[in-house]
Amino acid sequence: MAIDPVMAEELATTYGAALYGFCRKLAFTRQDADDLYQQTFLRLLAMPARVDLNDNPRGFLMAIAARIWADERRKYARRERIAPIHPGWDVETVAGADTGGGQLTQQELQADVQAAVNQLADGLRVPVLLYYMGDLSIAEIASELHIPAGTVKRRLYQARQLLRQEMEANSYGEA
């Protein structure tokens, strides 16, 4: 028995905006994020009815999106090894622009942190996004990514260290 379409619609209404924001963080283009968002709900509709609305459905949806995205990345990497193609996009980074007064607004700081997160390797970026955006616990992330909890902890630690170094290099760590 698959997920009830009414339940899927309720999940889309309640958590759609958060899920789309997560998809935008995973995918680097709006079109890819739109596709990922749609694929997430298509996969949800094909799943056996096992969504517990009391057990972090937002994180569950984000984990589905992360799994789909990881599968697509693996497929792309395999195709790239067999027959290389060169896409027209690459990761945009926020340059350390001088703000004049030396004070960063909250919005600029968030943009810089997001750019730093986008630069992380996929193995570090996905757990960070699931932990901080999806509000998933370490055990839930480990279960969804099919890796040990210790690996999730190590990846979160490594990601935090790299982000701290990046922010300090941009002179944000001294404030």
Side-chain angles (χ1 to χ4, degrees), residues 104-156:
L104 286 178
T105 66
Q106 184 68 21
Q107 197 171 26
E108 289 170 328
L109 181 60
Q110 287 175 342
D112 288 349
V113 170
Q114 183 58 50
V117 169
N118 285 343
Q119 292 177 0
L120 291 173
D122 295 341
L124 300 177
R125 187 164 58 107
V126 172
V128 165
L129 292 174
L130 287 173
Y131 188 76
Y132 291 103
M133 285 190 68
D135 294 328
L136 288 169
S137 69
I138 289 173
E140 291 170 325
I141 294 169
S143 173
E144 294 299 333
L145 297 179
H146 306 294
I147 58 177
T151 302
V152 173
K153 289 178 185 178
R154 180 179 48 80
R155 289 180 183 180
L156 287 171

Short mmCIF file of all heavy atoms in Angstrom, two decimals, residues 104-156:
data_model
loop_
_atom_site.label_atom_id
_atom_site.label_comp_id
_atom_site.label_asym_id
_atom_site.label_seq_id
_atom_site.Cartn_x
_atom_site.Cartn_y
_atom_site.Cartn_z
N LEU A 104 29.26 43.33 9.31
CA LEU A 104 28.47 42.51 8.39
C LEU A 104 27.04 42.47 8.88
O LEU A 104 26.77 42.34 10.07
CB LEU A 104 29.01 41.09 8.35
CG LEU A 104 30.30 40.87 7.61
CD1 LEU A 104 30.70 39.42 7.72
CD2 LEU A 104 30.15 41.25 6.15
N THR A 105 26.15 42.54 7.95
CA THR A 105 24.76 42.35 8.32
C THR A 105 24.52 40.86 8.49
O THR A 105 25.29 40.03 8.01
CB THR A 105 23.80 42.90 7.26
OG1 THR A 105 23.95 42.13 6.07
CG2 THR A 105 24.07 44.37 6.97
N GLN A 106 23.46 40.53 9.16
CA GLN A 106 23.12 39.12 9.37
C GLN A 106 22.93 38.43 8.03
O GLN A 106 23.35 37.29 7.85
CB GLN A 106 21.84 39.02 10.23
CG GLN A 106 21.45 37.62 10.58
CD GLN A 106 22.43 36.95 11.53
OE1 GLN A 106 23.19 37.61 12.23
NE2 GLN A 106 22.43 35.65 11.55
N GLN A 107 22.33 39.12 7.07
CA GLN A 107 22.07 38.54 5.76
C GLN A 107 23.39 38.24 5.02
O GLN A 107 23.52 37.19 4.40
CB GLN A 107 21.22 39.51 4.95
CG GLN A 107 20.55 38.90 3.75
CD GLN A 107 19.55 39.86 3.14
OE1 GLN A 107 19.68 41.07 3.28
NE2 GLN A 107 18.56 39.31 2.46
N GLU A 108 24.35 39.14 5.11
CA GLU A 108 25.64 38.91 4.46
C GLU A 108 26.37 37.74 5.10
O GLU A 108 26.97 36.92 4.41
CB GLU A 108 26.51 40.16 4.54
CG GLU A 108 26.02 41.29 3.66
CD GLU A 108 26.75 42.59 3.96
OE1 GLU A 108 27.14 42.82 5.13
OE2 GLU A 108 26.92 43.37 3.01
N LEU A 109 26.31 37.66 6.42
CA LEU A 109 26.94 36.57 7.13
C LEU A 109 26.31 35.23 6.73
O LEU A 109 27.01 34.25 6.48
CB LEU A 109 26.85 36.78 8.64
CG LEU A 109 27.50 35.70 9.51
CD1 LEU A 109 28.98 35.57 9.21
CD2 LEU A 109 27.28 36.02 10.98
N GLN A 110 24.97 35.20 6.66
CA GLN A 110 24.30 33.98 6.25
C GLN A 110 24.68 33.59 4.83
O GLN A 110 24.87 32.41 4.54
CB GLN A 110 22.78 34.14 6.36
CG GLN A 110 22.27 34.15 7.77
CD GLN A 110 20.78 34.44 7.86
OE1 GLN A 110 20.17 34.95 6.94
NE2 GLN A 110 20.20 34.11 9.01
N ALA A 111 24.80 34.55 3.95
CA ALA A 111 25.20 34.26 2.57
C ALA A 111 26.62 33.69 2.53
O ALA A 111 26.89 32.74 1.78
CB ALA A 111 25.11 35.52 1.71
N ASP A 112 27.51 34.23 3.34
CA ASP A 112 28.87 33.73 3.38
C ASP A 112 28.94 32.32 3.97
O ASP A 112 29.68 31.47 3.47
CB ASP A 112 29.77 34.68 4.18
CG ASP A 112 30.06 35.97 3.43
OD1 ASP A 112 29.74 36.05 2.22
OD2 ASP A 112 30.60 36.91 4.05
N VAL A 113 28.17 32.08 5.01
CA VAL A 113 28.13 30.73 5.60
C VAL A 113 27.56 29.74 4.58
O VAL A 113 28.10 28.65 4.39
CB VAL A 113 27.31 30.71 6.91
CG1 VAL A 113 27.06 29.30 7.39
CG2 VAL A 113 28.03 31.51 7.99
N GLN A 114 26.49 30.13 3.89
CA GLN A 114 25.90 29.24 2.89
C GLN A 114 26.89 28.96 1.76
O GLN A 114 27.00 27.83 1.30
CB GLN A 114 24.61 29.84 2.31
CG GLN A 114 23.92 28.92 1.33
CD GLN A 114 23.58 27.57 1.92
OE1 GLN A 114 22.99 27.49 2.98
NE2 GLN A 114 23.95 26.50 1.24
N ALA A 115 27.64 29.96 1.34
CA ALA A 115 28.64 29.75 0.30
C ALA A 115 29.71 28.78 0.79
O ALA A 115 30.16 27.91 0.04
CB ALA A 115 29.26 31.08 -0.11
N ALA A 116 30.11 28.92 2.05
CA ALA A 116 31.11 28.02 2.61
C ALA A 116 30.56 26.59 2.70
O ALA A 116 31.27 25.63 2.40
CB ALA A 116 31.55 28.51 3.99
N VAL A 117 29.30 26.45 3.08
CA VAL A 117 28.68 25.12 3.13
C VAL A 117 28.62 24.52 1.73
O VAL A 117 28.90 23.35 1.53
CB VAL A 117 27.27 25.19 3.77
CG1 VAL A 117 26.52 23.89 3.59
CG2 VAL A 117 27.38 25.53 5.25
N ASN A 118 28.29 25.34 0.73
CA ASN A 118 28.22 24.85 -0.65
C ASN A 118 29.57 24.35 -1.14
O ASN A 118 29.62 23.50 -2.03
CB ASN A 118 27.69 25.92 -1.58
CG ASN A 118 26.21 26.14 -1.44
OD1 ASN A 118 25.50 25.30 -0.89
ND2 ASN A 118 25.73 27.27 -1.91
N GLN A 119 30.65 24.85 -0.60
CA GLN A 119 31.98 24.45 -1.02
C GLN A 119 32.42 23.14 -0.38
O GLN A 119 33.40 22.55 -0.81
CB GLN A 119 33.01 25.54 -0.71
CG GLN A 119 32.82 26.78 -1.54
CD GLN A 119 33.79 27.88 -1.15
OE1 GLN A 119 34.61 27.72 -0.26
NE2 GLN A 119 33.68 29.01 -1.82
N LEU A 120 31.72 22.68 0.64
CA LEU A 120 32.07 21.43 1.29
C LEU A 120 31.88 20.26 0.34
O LEU A 120 30.99 20.29 -0.53
CB LEU A 120 31.21 21.20 2.54
CG LEU A 120 31.43 22.12 3.73
CD1 LEU A 120 30.37 21.85 4.79
CD2 LEU A 120 32.81 21.95 4.29
N ALA A 121 32.65 19.23 0.52
CA ALA A 121 32.47 18.00 -0.24
C ALA A 121 31.10 17.42 0.10
O ALA A 121 30.57 17.63 1.20
CB ALA A 121 33.56 16.99 0.11
N ASP A 122 30.51 16.70 -0.83
CA ASP A 122 29.16 16.16 -0.64
C ASP A 122 29.04 15.34 0.64
O ASP A 122 28.02 15.41 1.32
CB ASP A 122 28.77 15.29 -1.83
CG ASP A 122 28.65 16.09 -3.12
OD1 ASP A 122 28.53 17.33 -3.03
OD2 ASP A 122 28.69 15.47 -4.20
N GLY A 123 30.05 14.56 0.96
CA GLY A 123 29.99 13.71 2.15
C GLY A 123 29.89 14.50 3.43
O GLY A 123 29.38 14.01 4.44
N LEU A 124 30.35 15.75 3.42
CA LEU A 124 30.25 16.61 4.59
C LEU A 124 29.03 17.52 4.52
O LEU A 124 28.39 17.80 5.53
CB LEU A 124 31.51 17.47 4.73
CG LEU A 124 32.84 16.73 4.89
CD1 LEU A 124 33.99 17.72 4.93
CD2 LEU A 124 32.83 15.86 6.12
N ARG A 125 28.70 17.97 3.32
CA ARG A 125 27.62 18.94 3.15
C ARG A 125 26.25 18.33 3.46
O ARG A 125 25.42 18.95 4.13
CB ARG A 125 27.65 19.48 1.72
CG ARG A 125 26.68 20.60 1.48
CD ARG A 125 27.00 21.35 0.21
NE ARG A 125 27.00 20.47 -0.94
CZ ARG A 125 26.06 20.46 -1.86
NH1 ARG A 125 25.05 21.29 -1.78
NH2 ARG A 125 26.13 19.63 -2.87
N VAL A 126 25.99 17.12 3.00
CA VAL A 126 24.67 16.51 3.19
C VAL A 126 24.36 16.31 4.68
O VAL A 126 23.29 16.69 5.14
CB VAL A 126 24.54 15.21 2.38
CG1 VAL A 126 23.25 14.48 2.73
CG2 VAL A 126 24.57 15.51 0.88
N PRO A 127 25.27 15.73 5.48
CA PRO A 127 24.96 15.63 6.91
C PRO A 127 24.75 16.99 7.59
O PRO A 127 23.88 17.12 8.45
CB PRO A 127 26.18 14.91 7.50
CG PRO A 127 26.76 14.15 6.36
CD PRO A 127 26.51 15.00 5.15
N VAL A 128 25.52 18.00 7.18
CA VAL A 128 25.34 19.34 7.76
C VAL A 128 23.94 19.86 7.45
O VAL A 128 23.23 20.36 8.34
CB VAL A 128 26.41 20.32 7.23
CG1 VAL A 128 26.04 21.76 7.53
CG2 VAL A 128 27.76 19.99 7.84
N LEU A 129 23.51 19.72 6.20
CA LEU A 129 22.19 20.21 5.83
C LEU A 129 21.08 19.43 6.52
O LEU A 129 20.10 20.01 6.98
CB LEU A 129 22.03 20.16 4.31
CG LEU A 129 22.90 21.13 3.52
CD1 LEU A 129 22.75 20.90 2.02
CD2 LEU A 129 22.59 22.57 3.87
N LEU A 130 21.24 18.10 6.60
CA LEU A 130 20.22 17.30 7.29
C LEU A 130 20.16 17.63 8.77
O LEU A 130 19.08 17.66 9.37
CB LEU A 130 20.49 15.81 7.09
CG LEU A 130 20.21 15.26 5.69
CD1 LEU A 130 20.69 13.82 5.59
CD2 LEU A 130 18.74 15.36 5.35
N TYR A 131 21.31 17.87 9.38
CA TYR A 131 21.35 18.14 10.82
C TYR A 131 20.79 19.52 11.14
O TYR A 131 19.96 19.67 12.04
CB TYR A 131 22.79 18.02 11.31
CG TYR A 131 22.94 18.09 12.81
CD1 TYR A 131 22.61 17.01 13.61
CD2 TYR A 131 23.40 19.24 13.43
CE1 TYR A 131 22.75 17.06 14.99
CE2 TYR A 131 23.54 19.32 14.81
CZ TYR A 131 23.22 18.22 15.58
OH TYR A 131 23.34 18.28 16.95
N TYR A 132 21.23 20.54 10.41
CA TYR A 132 20.84 21.90 10.74
C TYR A 132 19.56 22.36 10.07
O TYR A 132 18.81 23.14 10.63
CB TYR A 132 21.98 22.87 10.43
CG TYR A 132 23.13 22.69 11.37
CD1 TYR A 132 24.28 22.03 10.97
CD2 TYR A 132 23.05 23.13 12.69
CE1 TYR A 132 25.34 21.84 11.85
CE2 TYR A 132 24.10 22.94 13.57
CZ TYR A 132 25.25 22.29 13.14
OH TYR A 132 26.28 22.10 14.01
N MET A 133 19.28 21.90 8.86
CA MET A 133 18.04 22.30 8.18
C MET A 133 16.92 21.29 8.42
O MET A 133 15.77 21.67 8.57
CB MET A 133 18.27 22.43 6.67
CG MET A 133 19.02 23.67 6.28
SD MET A 133 18.97 23.88 4.50
CE MET A 133 17.24 24.23 4.25
N GLY A 134 17.28 20.02 8.42
CA GLY A 134 16.27 18.99 8.55
C GLY A 134 15.93 18.63 9.98
O GLY A 134 15.00 17.87 10.22
N ASP A 135 16.69 19.17 10.93
CA ASP A 135 16.49 18.86 12.34
C ASP A 135 16.49 17.36 12.61
O ASP A 135 15.75 16.87 13.47
CB ASP A 135 15.19 19.48 12.87
CG ASP A 135 15.23 20.99 12.88
OD1 ASP A 135 16.33 21.54 13.10
OD2 ASP A 135 14.17 21.62 12.68
N LEU A 136 17.29 16.63 11.87
CA LEU A 136 17.42 15.19 12.10
C LEU A 136 18.49 14.96 13.15
O LEU A 136 19.49 15.68 13.22
CB LEU A 136 17.83 14.47 10.81
CG LEU A 136 16.75 14.36 9.73
CD1 LEU A 136 17.36 13.87 8.44
CD2 LEU A 136 15.66 13.41 10.17
N SER A 137 18.29 13.95 13.95
CA SER A 137 19.29 13.58 14.94
C SER A 137 20.43 12.83 14.24
O SER A 137 20.28 12.42 13.08
CB SER A 137 18.68 12.69 16.01
OG SER A 137 18.36 11.42 15.46
N ILE A 138 21.51 12.64 14.93
CA ILE A 138 22.64 11.91 14.36
C ILE A 138 22.21 10.49 14.01
O ILE A 138 22.55 9.97 12.94
CB ILE A 138 23.83 11.93 15.33
CG1 ILE A 138 24.41 13.36 15.35
CG2 ILE A 138 24.89 10.92 14.93
CD1 ILE A 138 25.47 13.62 16.36
N ALA A 139 21.43 9.86 14.87
CA ALA A 139 20.95 8.50 14.60
C ALA A 139 20.06 8.46 13.36
O ALA A 139 20.15 7.54 12.53
CB ALA A 139 20.20 7.95 15.80
N GLU A 140 19.20 9.47 13.21
CA GLU A 140 18.32 9.51 12.03
C GLU A 140 19.12 9.73 10.75
O GLU A 140 18.84 9.11 9.72
CB GLU A 140 17.28 10.63 12.19
CG GLU A 140 16.25 10.34 13.27
CD GLU A 140 15.38 11.55 13.59
OE1 GLU A 140 15.88 12.70 13.55
OE2 GLU A 140 14.20 11.34 13.90
N ILE A 141 20.12 10.60 10.81
CA ILE A 141 20.96 10.84 9.63
C ILE A 141 21.70 9.56 9.27
O ILE A 141 21.77 9.17 8.10
CB ILE A 141 21.96 11.99 9.88
CG1 ILE A 141 21.21 13.31 10.07
CG2 ILE A 141 22.96 12.10 8.73
CD1 ILE A 141 22.08 14.44 10.57
N ALA A 142 22.25 8.89 10.27
CA ALA A 142 22.97 7.64 10.03
C ALA A 142 22.06 6.61 9.37
O ALA A 142 22.45 5.93 8.42
CB ALA A 142 23.53 7.10 11.33
N SER A 143 20.84 6.51 9.86
CA SER A 143 19.89 5.56 9.30
C SER A 143 19.53 5.91 7.86
O SER A 143 19.51 5.04 7.00
CB SER A 143 18.63 5.54 10.17
OG SER A 143 17.64 4.76 9.58
N GLU A 144 19.27 7.17 7.60
CA GLU A 144 18.86 7.59 6.26
C GLU A 144 19.99 7.50 5.24
O GLU A 144 19.76 7.19 4.08
CB GLU A 144 18.30 9.01 6.29
CG GLU A 144 17.02 9.16 7.06
CD GLU A 144 15.86 8.33 6.53
OE1 GLU A 144 15.83 8.03 5.32
OE2 GLU A 144 14.99 7.97 7.34
N LEU A 145 21.22 7.77 5.67
CA LEU A 145 22.36 7.72 4.75
C LEU A 145 23.04 6.35 4.73
O LEU A 145 24.00 6.14 3.98
CB LEU A 145 23.39 8.80 5.11
CG LEU A 145 22.91 10.24 4.99
CD1 LEU A 145 24.02 11.20 5.41
CD2 LEU A 145 22.42 10.55 3.58
N HIS A 146 22.56 5.45 5.59
CA HIS A 146 23.12 4.09 5.67
C HIS A 146 24.61 4.10 6.01
O HIS A 146 25.41 3.42 5.37
CB HIS A 146 22.87 3.31 4.38
CG HIS A 146 21.44 3.29 3.97
ND1 HIS A 146 20.46 2.65 4.70
CD2 HIS A 146 20.79 3.88 2.92
CE1 HIS A 146 19.29 2.82 4.11
NE2 HIS A 146 19.45 3.56 3.04
N ILE A 147 24.96 4.89 7.02
CA ILE A 147 26.32 4.96 7.52
C ILE A 147 26.27 4.91 9.05
O ILE A 147 25.24 5.22 9.64
CB ILE A 147 27.07 6.24 7.04
CG1 ILE A 147 26.34 7.51 7.46
CG2 ILE A 147 27.30 6.20 5.54
CD1 ILE A 147 27.05 8.80 7.10
N PRO A 148 27.37 4.53 9.70
CA PRO A 148 27.37 4.48 11.17
C PRO A 148 27.22 5.87 11.79
O PRO A 148 27.63 6.88 11.20
CB PRO A 148 28.74 3.90 11.51
CG PRO A 148 29.22 3.24 10.27
CD PRO A 148 28.60 3.98 9.13
N ALA A 149 26.65 5.93 12.98
CA ALA A 149 26.46 7.19 13.69
C ALA A 149 27.80 7.88 13.95
O ALA A 149 27.90 9.11 13.88
CB ALA A 149 25.72 6.97 15.00
N GLY A 150 28.83 7.10 14.23
CA GLY A 150 30.16 7.67 14.44
C GLY A 150 30.67 8.39 13.20
O GLY A 150 31.35 9.42 13.30
N THR A 151 30.34 7.88 12.04
CA THR A 151 30.75 8.52 10.79
C THR A 151 30.02 9.85 10.63
O THR A 151 30.61 10.85 10.20
CB THR A 151 30.46 7.60 9.60
OG1 THR A 151 31.15 6.37 9.78
CG2 THR A 151 30.87 8.24 8.28
N VAL A 152 28.75 9.89 11.00
CA VAL A 152 27.99 11.14 10.92
C VAL A 152 28.62 12.17 11.86
O VAL A 152 28.83 13.32 11.48
CB VAL A 152 26.50 10.92 11.29
CG1 VAL A 152 25.75 12.24 11.37
CG2 VAL A 152 25.84 10.00 10.28
N LYS A 153 28.94 11.75 13.09
CA LYS A 153 29.56 12.67 14.05
C LYS A 153 30.89 13.20 13.53
O LYS A 153 31.17 14.39 13.62
CB LYS A 153 29.79 11.96 15.39
CG LYS A 153 28.54 11.67 16.16
CD LYS A 153 28.87 10.93 17.44
CE LYS A 153 27.65 10.51 18.19
NZ LYS A 153 27.97 9.76 19.41
N ARG A 154 31.69 12.30 12.94
CA ARG A 154 32.99 12.70 12.41
C ARG A 154 32.82 13.70 11.26
O ARG A 154 33.51 14.72 11.20
CB ARG A 154 33.78 11.49 11.93
CG ARG A 154 35.15 11.83 11.36
CD ARG A 154 35.94 10.60 10.92
NE ARG A 154 35.20 9.67 10.11
CZ ARG A 154 34.98 9.81 8.79
NH1 ARG A 154 35.43 10.87 8.17
NH2 ARG A 154 34.30 8.89 8.12
N ARG A 155 31.86 13.43 10.39
CA ARG A 155 31.63 14.33 9.26
C ARG A 155 31.12 15.69 9.71
O ARG A 155 31.52 16.72 9.16
CB ARG A 155 30.67 13.69 8.26
CG ARG A 155 31.30 12.54 7.51
CD ARG A 155 30.34 11.91 6.53
NE ARG A 155 30.96 10.76 5.88
CZ ARG A 155 30.36 10.01 4.97
NH1 ARG A 155 29.11 10.29 4.61
NH2 ARG A 155 30.98 8.99 4.44
N LEU A 156 30.24 15.70 10.70
CA LEU A 156 29.77 16.98 11.23
C LEU A 156 30.92 17.76 11.87
O LEU A 156 31.05 18.97 11.68
CB LEU A 156 28.64 16.76 12.24
CG LEU A 156 27.29 16.35 11.66
CD1 LEU A 156 26.33 15.97 12.79
CD2 LEU A 156 26.70 17.46 10.81
#
